[in-house]
Amino acid sequence: MTQHLVATHPARVLLGPQAGAAVLPVCDHYSGVQTRMRKSLQLQAEMTREFGTCVFDVTLDCEDGAPVGGEAQHARLVAALVRESDPGARVAVRVHPVDHPAFAQDMDTILGEAADRLCHVMLPKVESVDDVLFAEKALQRNAGARLPLHVLIESPAAVQRAFDIAAHPRVQSLSFGLMDFVSAHGGAIPASAMGSAGQFSHPLVVRAKLEIASACHAHGKVPSHCVVTEFKDTAAMQAAARRASQELGYTRMWSIHPAQIRPILAAMAPADTEVADAARILLAAQTAEWAPISDAGTLHDRASYRYFWQLLQRAHATGMALPPTVAHWFS
């Protein structure tokens, strides 16, 4: 690629040297049982070959995966699986909360053996920036200085502090922990709010989701939507992912079963017509050296160019086949 083409690449022109917020796979898949963790890593490799890009992260779970009393053994297992994964795999780990006795053990064992193979560390039950700072120190003493933190917001107090947490430079993404958030209200929110439909109608839950998404977008971080526990209901899964994306501003979502991954990809992906429009407009903009243009009687400038570039980024992250005229931007 020539120097001129690099200089006029949409990412540089429209987002600047920092290239905006991180672009992550739109699905984050969790597993904590040995056989399922192995199968998740195998499935990631298969789907990476199928789509030509990694379309979901695999997060190996210590918090919910480790049996009580077996935390040390589980951490060693996770470290071994990370080391065994393909060099290009995107593998993360969810450790125990910072106030759990196993937190330091998780960090020392897993990062001590496999920090160079992790893409991030998921930190659950974060209540304040102090928790982030505590975890950051654990990263630094275990060869994890390069690793970003993903943070799980699970309480009303943490929602209140979401903007401060998202502002921390180590934080790359905020996730919403639906189940713990509901139970933290002492019965004031009904159990129906934990379902695929109720979580989009209860005002306190919707408010929390909006606060987290807004905090992420204010600081260039990635908002990641919560689980859908009805993992056998594909229609409910896809409907929830679509609402999270189109109504609440989420660009990533959790999966807890392999059957949920493809519905998330489909729901988070833009329509083929949107991709075609974005490619046409951006190519015309590049030809005009990013000056305003008219397309089908509509004026476009750098604000809309930025939107269409981010749409193409999302299409690429979901494994969509891009028009050949713009596919080279992602090579």
Side-chain angles (χ1 to χ4, degrees):
M1 185 178 289
T2 67
Q3 184 176 356
H4 175 71
L5 289 177
V6 171
T8 60
H9 190 283
R12 176 164 292 277
V13 173
L14 303 176
L15 302 179
Q18 301 303 318
V23 178
L24 301 176
V26 301
C27 181
D28 189 10
H29 180 66
Y30 280 72
S31 55
V33 178
Q34 182 174 1
T35 55
R36 293 173 186 168
M37 290 191 287
R38 291 188 182 279
K39 288 180 179 178
S40 298
L41 292 168
Q42 180 181 355
L43 180 61
Q44 185 192 61
E46 293 170 356
M47 291 183 67
T48 296
R49 290 192 291 269
E50 175 185 347
F51 287 99
T53 189
C54 182
V55 292
F56 69 93
D57 286 347
V58 172
T59 299
L60 306 181
D61 195 0
C62 289
E63 186 190 22
D64 288 342
V68 175
E71 291 87 357
Q73 181 180 1
H74 192 79
R76 290 193 294 271
L77 169 63
V78 166
L81 291 174
V82 175
R83 293 302 311 172
E84 293 170 11
S85 64
D86 292 343
R90 283 190 56 89
V91 187
V93 58
R94 175 164 68 162
V95 296
H96 284 85
V98 295
D99 60 354
H100 192 283
F103 169 76
Q105 178 178 263
D106 287 347
M107 299 291 276
D108 294 346
T109 300
I110 300 168
L111 273 70
E113 297 182 23
D116 60 316
R117 301 292 290 274
L118 291 170
C119 57
H120 64 266
V121 172
M122 167 57 77
L123 191 64
K125 294 180 174 56
V126 169
E127 290 294 313
S128 69
V129 176
D130 288 342
D131 292 341
V132 175
L133 294 172
F134 189 85
E136 184 177 38
K137 290 179 181 178
L139 287 176
Q140 292 169 341
R141 69 171 180 264
N142 285 291
R146 68 169 185 86
L147 286 173
L149 285 171
H150 289 203
V151 167
L152 190 51
I153 303 293
E154 303 181 72
S155 74
V159 170
Q160 182 184 9
R161 303 176 186 123
F163 280 81
D164 292 336
I165 294 169
H168 193 282
R170 176 73 64 169
V171 173
Q172 186 179 56
S173 174
L174 298 187
S175 293
F176 177 53
L178 172 66
M179 316 295 278
D180 283 274
F181 179 81
V182 171
S183 62
H185 284 75
I189 300 178
S192 59
M194 293 187 283
S196 59
Q199 64 175 281
F200 290 97
S201 59
H202 194 282
L204 285 174
V205 175
V206 173
R207 173 183 171 272
K209 291 183 181 185
L210 290 172
E211 286 291 303
I212 292 168
S214 182
C216 285
H217 292 300
H219 294 288
K221 309 302 171 70
V222 177
S224 187
H225 194 262
C226 57
V227 300
V228 169
T229 55
E230 301 97 321
F231 59 85
K232 293 186 178 180
D233 191 337
T234 301
M237 178 71 245
Q238 195 156 342
R242 186 175 295 111
R243 294 191 71 178
S245 173
Q246 297 181 4
E247 297 176 18
L248 302 180
Y250 282 80
T251 57
R252 180 169 160 100
M253 188 166 180
W254 285 36
S255 160
I256 54 172
H257 190 278
Q260 294 182 325
I261 295 172
R262 290 181 187 271
I264 291 173
L265 297 179
M268 292 282 186
D272 290 337
T273 53
E274 292 180 301
V275 172
D277 288 345
R280 183 185 69 252
I281 291 167
L282 287 174
L283 285 169
Q286 189 180 51
T287 299
E289 297 186 347
W290 308 104
I293 64 167
S294 173
D295 179 81
T298 299
L299 176 68
H300 292 285
D301 59 17
R302 291 202 185 191
S304 56
Y305 300 158
R306 189 176 302 112
Y307 168 83
F308 289 120
W309 170 245
Q310 290 164 340
L311 186 145
L312 288 185
Q313 287 183 308
R314 189 168 79 252
H316 178 68
T318 58
M320 290 184 71
L322 298 176
T325 51
V326 298
H328 65 281
W329 286 336
F330 296 90
S331 62

